[in-house]
């Protein structure tokens, strides 16, 4: 059985509700399983249970809310909703329909990136539970709904100060509350998020829970979103979470919840609904079914307009689907304006300004690139949640004779990588007069943050910052090729401007994957060992090296293009 991991460990992964998958209903199995609750890590098991072990893996690690199904395998059962289904349905009826009627759709299987987000959410959830002393976890199979509800009642009656995964059913809807906290006048419902602020969609999420919990006869006197607090600074994790009261906002939403639930249930009883594509395909979460609903965007479609963002939907809705037909008076980013000209001309544009821009690159050059890790729960001094910390660098440094030497370093244990990385990077860049990085503000930002955490690193960091130049605007502000497809990322421009030098031949071919693998190598449980670890380190080295080699070759190409640029087009 495949895993969704949406609510593993009792925490809502930030993108979870768009990706979760229900499991087939196993009514009898559910009643065979033991009822167990865990208090402070100790298991409490109902008599008759052999071990009380929760069998989450057997259920694909799915959250209870997402396992609340049975529609396909038991069509005679009533159609039922869950918290995550409800919020999915608010985003798009078609998305909800597919989630319910095609639970095994390949689009719903989490890829490694999504799984990493879920895993991070689970770690945040575990840390959040530690903030509720004496809390009891409803630690039961995710599809043992009735048992979960019964165990929740038992925990409430037993005086538990807080209940994790507190489970309720009302209005044909199941919810498992991250934390239900006992209060003098009733209960406080707490929704844990791994985001760093309260978002609009969180309110709907809380609203359906309050509706179901109150509908179960439980007085909810307050509700909070408990999110990660960016102000928290390692090693003091006492303020890792911020708790934001949201009940007043939720009360305004609540009157509409029953009608929405009824509408979703009615929709699910019919055929696949027709829904026009639009901004809702991307917000609040990227829909996993874009591949089914979206066409293959032509090269000149406004979806591919540089820097257009959400505006592309507005343009398309107003009949502007082709970039080259956008009216001349329409204000565009200068690079998008060049993109439009290039599409109209049907060829690459190289501005004569490129030559002047390249004059900034006084040799010898060095080209640097970092790969970072960004733990939600910081682990190194001075770090805040999600701070990017460099754990790997690649540097191509030019010698006096113009030849290039490659330098590389990759962390290999859980020690703070910044002192060693910066020492080695400073050495590698010692002879360079200009240090290039593609998206240099990122490299500069993580270096500056490292210098704040380690004052002794100030001088080598400042020396690098004094020489750093961003390579990205060299392309974005002076060159457009229709092959860029509206992107100036290195992955987009390199194969076009330096044919034969792409990323397709690499086992790790993009930055998110690199970060994920580094995190697994450093903090995995267990981390990779032996041949696997060596292969992983080699793959990471090759990926990071390709980024800096790519910029080396890119600059050579830009110089050639600048020499050939006759004048403005
Ligand atoms: S791609 Fe868009 S229209 Fe299609 S299911 Fe997803 S949100 Fe709905």
């Amino acid at each position: 059985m495949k895993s969704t991991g949406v609510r593993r460990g009792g925490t809502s992964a930030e993108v979870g509700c768009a990706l979760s998958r229900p499991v087939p209903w196993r009514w009898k199995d559910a009643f065979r399983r033991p009822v167990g609750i865990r208090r402070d890590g100790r298991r409490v098991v109902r008599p008759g249970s052999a071990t009380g072990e929760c069998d989450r893996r057997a259920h694909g690690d799915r959250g209870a809310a997402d396992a609340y199904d049975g529609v396909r395998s038991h069509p005679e059962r009533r159609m039922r909703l869950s918290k995550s289904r409800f919020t999915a349905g608010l985003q798009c009826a078609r998305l909800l329909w597919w989630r319910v009627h095609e639970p095994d759709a390949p689009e719903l299987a989490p890829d490694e990136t999504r799984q990493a987000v879920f895993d991070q959410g689970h770690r945040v959830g575990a840390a959040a539970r530690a903030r509720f002393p004496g809390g009891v976890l409803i630690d039961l199979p995710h599809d043992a709904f009735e048992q979960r509800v019964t165990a929740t009642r038992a925990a409430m009656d037993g005086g538990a100060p807080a209940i994790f995964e507190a489970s309720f059913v009302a209005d044909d809807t199941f919810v498992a509350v991250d934390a239900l906290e006992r209060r003098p006048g009733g209960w406080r419902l707490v929704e844990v998020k791994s985001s760093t602020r309260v978002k609009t969609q969180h309110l709907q999420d809380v609203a359906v829970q309050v509706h179901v919990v109150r509908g179960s006869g439980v007085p909810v006197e307050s509700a909070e979103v408990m999110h990660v607090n960016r102000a928290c600074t390692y090693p003091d994790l006492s303020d890792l979470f911020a708790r934001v009261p949201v009940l007043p906002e939720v009360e305004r939403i609540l009157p509409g919840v029953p009608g929405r639930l009824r509408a979703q249930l009615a929709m699910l009883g019919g055929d696949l609904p027709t829904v026009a594509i639009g901004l809702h395909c991307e917000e609040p979460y990227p829909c996993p079914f874009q591949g089914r609903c979206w066409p293959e965007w032509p090269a000149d479609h406004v979806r591919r307009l540089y820097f257009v963002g959400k505006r592309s939907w507005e343009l398309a809705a107003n009949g502007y689907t082709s970039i080259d037909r956008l009216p001349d008076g329409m204000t565009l980013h200068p690079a998008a304006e060049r993109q439009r000209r290039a599409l109209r001309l049907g060829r690459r544009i190289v501005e004569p300004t490129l030559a002047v821009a390249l004059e900034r690159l006084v040799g010898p050059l060095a080209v640097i690139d970092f790969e970072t890790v960004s733990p939600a729960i910081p682990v190194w001094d001075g770090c805040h949640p999600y701070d990017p910390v460099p754990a790997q660098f690649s540097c191509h440094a030019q010698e006096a004779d113009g030849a290039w030497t490659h330098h590389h370093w990759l962390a290999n244990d859980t020690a703070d990588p910044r002192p060693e990385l910066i020492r080695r990077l400073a050495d590698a860049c010692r002879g360079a007069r200009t240090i290039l990085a593609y998206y240099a503000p990122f490299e500069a930002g993580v270096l500056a943050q490292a210098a704040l955490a380690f004052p002794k690193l100030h001088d080598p960091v400042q020396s690098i910052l004094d020489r750093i130049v961003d390579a990205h605007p060299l392309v974005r502000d002076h060159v457009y090729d229709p092959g860029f497809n509206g992107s100036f990322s290195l992955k987009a421009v390199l194969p076009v401007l330096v044919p034969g030098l792409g990323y397709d031949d690499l086992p790790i071919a993009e930055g998110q994957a690199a970060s994920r693998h580094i995190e697994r190598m450093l903090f995995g449980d267990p981390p990779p060992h032996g041949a696997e670890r060596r292969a992983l380190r080699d793959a990471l080295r090759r990926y990071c090296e390709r980024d800096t080699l790519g910029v080396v070759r890119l600059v050579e190409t830009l110089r050639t293009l600048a020499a050939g640029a006759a004048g403005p087009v």
Side-chain angles (χ1 to χ4, degrees):
M1 196 177 289
K2 294 176 182 174
S3 168
T4 65
V6 173
R7 294 188 52 78
R8 201 166 55 189
T11 302
S12 301
E14 186 54 18
V15 299
C17 40
L19 300 169
S20 54
R21 304 166 61 205
V23 296
W25 176 254
R26 294 192 293 194
W27 186 264
K28 289 179 182 171
D29 285 356
F31 277 99
R32 280 199 204 106
R33 293 177 188 278
V35 174
I37 53 178
R38 180 185 287 167
R39 183 189 294 274
D40 287 343
R42 289 181 293 112
R43 184 171 302 280
V44 181
V45 183
R46 177 182 272 183
S49 155
T51 64
E53 279 300 312
C54 174
D55 189 12
R56 284 205 168 129
R57 290 288 168 193
H59 295 273
D61 230 352
R62 293 176 181 133
D66 302 296
Y68 199 57
D69 188 21
V71 173
R72 283 202 331 156
S73 52
H74 291 263
E76 72 279 6
R77 290 189 64 234
R78 294 175 67 184
M79 199 80 68
R80 285 175 172 172
L81 292 170
S82 64
K83 179 186 81 167
S84 62
R85 287 182 172 186
F86 175 72
T87 51
L90 293 180
Q91 179 169 352
C92 175
R94 200 169 167 87
L95 163 63
L96 174 59
W97 196 96
W98 270 324
R99 277 188 48 164
V100 171
H101 291 282
E102 285 192 42
D104 295 322
E107 293 93 336
L108 295 173
D111 59 17
E112 287 188 353
T113 300
R114 289 168 182 163
Q115 189 60 54
V117 173
F118 296 151
D119 291 345
Q120 181 127 274
H122 303 146
R123 288 192 287 275
V124 169
R129 285 181 190 164
R131 267 65 181 174
F132 297 88
V136 168
L137 173 66
I138 303 303
D139 192 7
L140 285 164
H142 288 165
D143 56 356
F145 307 112
E146 281 71 12
Q147 288 175 289
R148 295 178 64 93
V149 170
T150 302
T152 299
R153 287 288 176 184
M156 294 170 74
D157 294 344
I163 304 166
F164 310 127
E165 297 279 339
S167 302
F168 301 91
V169 177
D171 266 3
D172 288 324
T173 305
F174 175 89
V175 298
V177 179
D178 286 339
L180 192 66
E181 193 177 22
R182 190 183 294 274
R183 302 291 298 161
W187 294 84
R188 174 185 289 152
L189 186 152
V190 181
E191 172 70 10
V192 179
K193 294 293 184 190
S194 50
S195 64
T196 56
R197 62 184 175 86
V198 179
K199 300 179 182 176
T200 308
Q201 62 268 27
H202 297 165
L203 301 178
Q204 297 284 358
D205 198 332
V206 174
V208 71
Q209 293 178 71
V210 171
H211 173 77
V212 171
V213 176
R214 283 181 176 167
S216 303
V218 177
V220 177
E221 57 91 21
S222 66
E224 293 180 349
V225 171
M226 183 176 181
H227 65 78
V228 172
N229 175 23
R230 276 278 290 151
C232 169
T233 308
Y234 190 89
D236 179 9
L237 299 183
S238 60
D239 59 348
L240 179 61
F241 292 99
R243 295 176 63 164
V244 182
V246 294
L247 193 57
E249 295 92 327
V250 166
E251 294 282 14
R252 286 194 284 276
I253 295 171
L254 277 171
V257 170
R260 292 195 178 100
L261 290 171
R262 280 195 301 275
Q264 289 188 358
L265 288 167
M267 180 277 295
L268 287 170
D271 294 335
L272 175 67
T274 301
V275 178
I277 59 173
L279 184 56
H280 61 275
C281 300
E282 301 181 288
E283 293 186 353
Y285 305 104
C287 176
F289 294 108
Q290 290 171 358
R292 295 193 188 189
C293 298
W294 287 11
E296 183 64 31
W297 306 112
D300 65 343
H301 196 276
V302 289
R303 286 287 302 165
R304 298 190 189 274
L305 182 64
Y306 175 69
F307 209 67
V308 68
K310 301 174 188 174
R311 198 172 155 215
S312 69
W313 296 111
E314 190 187 315
L315 291 170
N318 289 327
Y320 297 115
T321 53
S322 172
I323 294 170
D324 60 357
R325 296 199 179 160
L326 291 174
D328 288 341
M330 186 175 284
T331 305
L332 300 177
H333 185 284
E337 168 59 34
R338 188 174 302 107
Q339 178 185 7
R340 177 169 60 178
R341 272 195 290 138
L343 287 170
R344 285 176 175 171
L345 292 166
R347 64 170 174 81
R348 177 185 298 169
I349 289 177
V350 180
E351 305 287 5
T353 50
L354 176 62
V356 178
L358 290 169
E359 285 174 7
R360 283 189 71 195
L361 310 188
V362 180
L365 302 179
V367 179
I368 65 171
D369 183 65
F370 294 160
E371 302 307 328
T372 58
V373 292
S374 308
I377 303 173
V379 292
W380 292 307
D381 281 345
C383 288
H384 310 290
Y386 298 110
D387 272 355
V389 176
Q392 179 184 20
F393 82 82
S394 172
C395 172
H396 275 84
Q398 207 170 24
E399 307 297 337
D401 63 358
W404 293 93
T405 301
H406 182 238
H407 306 263
H408 170 255
W409 185 79
L410 171 59
N412 202 27
D413 57 36
T414 57
D416 193 323
R418 292 171 293 181
E420 182 72 3
L421 181 142
I422 288 170
R423 186 184 67 74
R424 288 172 178 262
L425 182 67
D427 278 351
C429 295
R430 194 170 305 284
R433 294 180 65 188
T434 303
I435 300 172
L436 269 174
Y438 210 82
Y439 298 124
F442 177 77
E443 268 74 10
V446 296
L447 284 170
Q449 205 160 13
L452 283 177
F454 294 92
K456 68 180 181 185
L457 298 178
H458 175 271
D459 289 351
V461 165
Q462 191 59 52
S463 169
I464 294 170
L465 296 181
D466 288 344
R467 293 173 285 163
I468 203 163
V469 171
D470 190 3
H472 174 243
L474 296 175
V475 185
R476 184 197 62 191
D477 296 349
H478 308 281
V479 181
Y480 190 81
D481 187 294
F484 293 171
N485 278 321
S487 170
F488 293 95
S489 74
L490 199 55
K491 308 288 181 300
V493 305
L494 201 56
V496 177
L497 295 183
V498 188
L501 194 65
Y503 292 80
D504 290 348
D505 60 319
L506 299 177
I508 294 175
E510 50 95 15
Q512 273 192 336
S515 295
R516 196 172 62 242
H517 285 297
I518 294 173
E519 200 160 328
R520 184 170 70 92
M521 187 180 68
L522 300 184
F523 302 108
D525 184 20
H529 287 291
E532 184 193 358
R533 191 176 184 89
R534 286 192 295 278
L536 179 57
R537 292 181 65 81
D538 184 59
L540 287 163
R541 178 193 57 76
R542 289 175 64 199
Y543 170 69
C544 203
E545 180 178 4
R546 183 64 54 87
D547 273 346
T548 49
L549 178 64
V551 175
V552 169
R553 299 282 176 258
L554 182 65
V555 169
E556 291 170 357
T557 300
L558 292 175
R559 286 193 162 128
T560 303
L561 292 175
V569 180

